[in-house]
Amino acid sequence: MQQQQSQVHLAASESALLAAQAQHAQSKAAYEETVAKVERLKSQFREQIMDESLRQSCRWNDMYYKLVEWKEQHGGDTTVPCDAKASSEEVKKLNRWVINQRTAYKYFMNGDKKHIKDHRIDALNKIGFCWSVQDQQWDNNFEELRRHKADTGTFHVTIKQNRKLATFISRLRTAMSHKEQGLIQAELTDERINKLNSLDFTWHMKRKKRNTPTRDTVKFDVMYEHLVSFKEIYGHTKVNKLEKEWKKGNGVPEKKVFRRLPLFLAFARKEQLLFLEGHPSSLDEDKIQMLTELGVEWKKPASEPRKSTGGEATRKKKKKGEQSELSNPPHPGFNYEDNYDVSADAVAAAAALRHPGLPTLPPMNPPMKHDQEEQREI
């Protein structure tokens, strides 16, 4: 009996729940319909306001209709590019007005709505106004990338083929690399990443190892041949001395490429020091040997002591010694012309003063000059 009653209550509860759900669905549908109706009314009202405001005579409306005319004449463009020299004054004014609208829209999106009204934004949206030139450029590049993938099946684009698209692809990969390192990349948003992933975009390129000579090797071989030619003409490899004369106007190099040799030798000396210190270097032992046999003079490492060559450091050291001698002059009573010898008595007396406990020593030096003269007089 109780079980039957429980089943009856359960069935009643289920029917009440279903009725409540149906009522909730009806209320939700009615609410959504009401919201849609309000939005339509608001849209119609804003369109009416927009139409009425555009009928008025004011400077903003005049510039707006000039933009509409520009768009019809230039294939739908609303960015109004301007050349400071070639463009007319009318184009420059329209360009400044378009820039001001974008600036006002940024303020509007940040809550400051006093610079531009809603109906004016609607009027600009109606003609497809470009609120961000960077966004439009990105979208154009993306469409070009999509067409390239559809035509070729790859994302490989060389600079010779299409410099603009190749730069765009390289910038995307660099931005993703920075994003993976935790750096903020405003250009690469999640929405754009999803759009690129929909094309199966290759974010990381695997570089193949090339057996051909590298750019540094080719450059070294070329400059080495120029250095050999320089030595055959001038008989040495001291290009810096001749470069100073060339800069002064005393002669000209036999070959124009000789003016690049000082930079090449400076680079070679720097790489040679790195090689000696055990750091990565573009010069190996064979290249260094080639330059050494040609007569190139190398710099000594900083760890190797250098001999004094009488340079600025030596002159400063000598000057410092002379100043120390001047700061400690001899006793004023001492006269070099008298040619006195320091007697043993004076040495003993000084020692007795410094060390009272020590016995005095007998005089060991010969008598002084004036003592000898007094003995002769006696």
Side-chain angles (χ1 to χ4, degrees), residues 246 253-261:
W246 296 336
E254 294 290 335
K255 296 181 180 180
K256 192 174 181 180
V257 73
F258 288 167
R259 293 186 181 273
R260 297 165 53 192
L261 288 176

Side-chain angles (χ1 to χ4, degrees), residues 2 8 31 50 69 87 156 160 198 206 249 254 259 310:
Q2 293 180 353
V8 170
Y31 172 77
M50 179 185 68
E69 184 180 356
S87 300
H156 179 69
K160 292 183 179 180
S198 65
K206 295 182 179 179
E254 294 290 335
R259 293 186 181 273

